Amino acid sequence: MDKVLDRIWRFFSSVKLAIVLIISIVATAIIGTVIQQGLPVETYVRHYGASTYRLLHFFDLFDMYHSWWFELLLILFIVNVTVCTLERLPAIFKMVSKPKLKIPMEKINAFKERQTVSYGGRKEALIASLVDRLKESYRRPVHTSSEEGDFIYLEKGRIARFGPYVTHLSLIIIFIGVLVGSFLGFDAYVNLSPGDATDIVRTTRGNQDLTLPFTIKCNDFHIEFYDSGIPKAYKSDLSLLRDNRQIARKVIDVNQPLTYRGITIYQASYGQAGASDFSIVLTSSNDGEEDLSLARNQLFPLKGDISIAVLDYSRNYQGFGPTILVGVYKGQKLQSTSIYLEKYPDFHGAEKIEGYGIRFIKAHESYYTGLQVAKDPGAPYVAGGAIVLIIGLLMSFFSYRRRVWLFIPEKFDGTFTVAGVADRNKYSFEFEFEKLVGSIREICSPTVEGKDTVPPSPSDKGTKDGRR
Amino acid sequence: MVHAGSMINTLLLSIATFVYVGSMFFYLFGLVFKKKFLDAAGFAVFVGAFLIETAGLIARWVESYHLQYGHIPITNLYESLIFLSWTIALTYIIVDLRYKIRKLGFPISLAAFVFMAYASFSPSVSSRIEPLVPALKSNWLIFHVVTSFFGYGAFAMAFGASIFYLISDWYTKHTNGKVLSYLPSVRVLDDISYKLIIVGEVLLAIGIVTGAAWADYAWGRYWSWDPKETWSLITFLIYVVYIHLRYSWGWHGRAAAIFAIVGFLFVLFTYLGVNLVLSGLHSYGST
């Protein structure tokens, strides 16, 4: 039994599995962007045909991000990340808290970054000045000695060792937030006309009725348009009621929701409700002016058996602003039509009908407000996880741990070894190592050191071994 | 409606487009004739184009206030293309000042020009300053777009460095070890490409997170698998794979360069492809 568990554990602790899972998630996620998700069944059948529809439906490809197999992939990935983190973290802690200050010669000789530096003075002076001068760029050079010789240990970017684990931890936090949200939260919508109130909303997924612990009342809905006809702002004046008492009131806007006890109401959309009214002024030389309010297609008797009706309306007709199309009827028969512009009352000489002038004043459109009602107790975890994610990425990427040992042999013959290794980012480390060796040479050069040293001969000015 | 003001920004931006072409030719001649002063001239002209472009963007911002719309010029396809070329140019100038890789100027000025020209001359892209729909009126807009686009800029630079890596690598292989002296060494190119990818990855992560925060604030849903969201996550994951291959398996050099080039195709699709081919909330491609 233990063996089985052990094998499962090892299976989930591999980076190879992580890469396979990520590529699977990527490949399948693409499908969901190509096949539009969540459309009505008829649309799919019309587009793909019945048999293809059945096949795609069998694999949940019309709601694939919530399908069992996609969620399984995500869960496997999270398990993978968790196991990888648990597997490696203890060793990392140990490695960081107890750095190897001394290191055997065979290991030093195996390092790719290794150079010999010569120094003409006494060993003690060398160690003292190295420890002193290297403090500038390395937090704490540690000097230790053994029978073989003296070591100076330099380290940078220790925190980077934890970066990947902080990043992985953030994914686990986000996942917990998603789980909390999906079990304890909901996401619903409701459409309300001004004056309406309800405590029942419909869930976005599953399309079921849900009763809220309060009643939402829409006191008013207001919409403004740009001249081009696209909406500029839409706002709902909402009251929340409990036992007929108002417990909250706010005018909500897109990007300005109302939150009450963890339930948030968002201005999501709007729509046209019922008939619109059109204000029109009729003018005639005999009767003067008469204000009219007409619904669409409502016949208004003008004179004898001649009547007019507003047949159509455009918020922005060919760039000229709000416009109505008026039909002239003789009995029930449409005789002619003409257009009237709100902003240009004299357009077309404002065609007269049977001696009556028509001026279009304003359209009163009636709208309903589309509200989204959501509760997500997991969102704070997701937000916290997202912040941890960014911190983890910064820790991992903008730092990396690199260690350098300076080995000065017991029998000091005027040369010592500098060897270093980076946990990753080895290419960048090559540059840094060369720079470090350069500055060590400078520390060892007679111009800096002064009296105690002899200039090194050109022949032993450091040999580049370990590299061809 | 043509406002007297609305000419200035498009005029400046058109001039910048042509100045980018100028710098591109200097860089091209620099590559052909291997003269340092041509590269220096290319860089100077490039910085000039960048400054004109910056002035154009500022003019556009100011003019949007004259039109009473008052919004940062990053909200439709035209503006986003201009802004992308601007972020690529700025990223290049910073990287050049730090690493002295002037030779990258040729592909970068080419890219800056192509995005500007697409914005200015494609009949399907309108240069009009449009008012904002209510959903875009949020302070998150600036953070979200700026971080995402600088991420795109960094990935684009990594793409350029990786192409140069392959050219240099190919040259060395086919000339029995000769080095293409006028390009940075392959080691430097590999390192720059990697560093730009991690910068891009962090910026992309911040872009995704700010987008999710915004969506949660506006609609109560931080993630809804909208195609743009999904594709930005896909791009993020592609570079996650790159980073793990590099860290855990030591991938670098040619394999990493090819990976960075393929990765940039995902970036391009996330930026343009999603809007031009697929449908969703990020509507700037529908103009």
Side-chain angles (χ1 to χ4, degrees), chain A residues 129 140 170 233 269 311 314 331 350:
Chain A
S129 65
R140 210 164 27 129
S170 78
S269 62
L311 300 179
S314 165

Side-chain angles (χ1 to χ4, degrees), chain B residues 106-179:
Chain B
F106 174 64
I108 292 300
S109 54
L110 177 66
F113 162 69
V114 165
F115 286 121
M116 294 284 281
Y118 179 30
S120 303
F121 306 122
S122 164
S124 63
V125 181
S126 158
S127 70
R128 277 229 315 247
I129 299 180
E130 306 278 356
L132 282 188
V133 294
L136 291 184
K137 287 178 189 159
S138 166
N139 291 332
W140 288 104
L141 173 73
I142 294 182
F143 293 111
H144 175 59
V145 175
V146 168
T147 48
S148 306
F149 274 53
F150 273 102
Y152 294 162
F155 288 132
M157 283 283 296
F159 169 75
S162 300
I163 289 200
F164 272 24
Y165 181 96
L166 291 185
I167 292 172
S168 188
D169 183 57
W170 180 86
Y171 181 83
T172 307
K173 227 172 81 188
H174 287 261
T175 54
N176 293 323
K178 270 205 274 178
V179 179

Side-chain angles (χ1 to χ4, degrees), chain A residues 129-148:
Chain A
S129 65
L130 280 176
V131 168
D132 186 52
R133 290 287 302 281
L134 288 170
K135 262 185 208 149
E136 287 161 23
S137 38
Y138 288 83
R139 205 159 45 98
R140 210 164 27 129
V142 186
H143 170 224
T144 48
S145 29
S146 71
E147 286 160 22
E148 291 162 71

Side-chain angles (χ1 to χ4, degrees), chain B residues 81-98:
Chain B
L81 285 163
I82 302 281
F83 188 64
L84 182 66
S85 93
W86 188 82
T87 55
I88 290 175
L90 181 58
T91 314
Y92 164 69
I93 290 170
I94 292 169
V95 172
D96 184 87
L97 293 177
R98 176 115 162 61

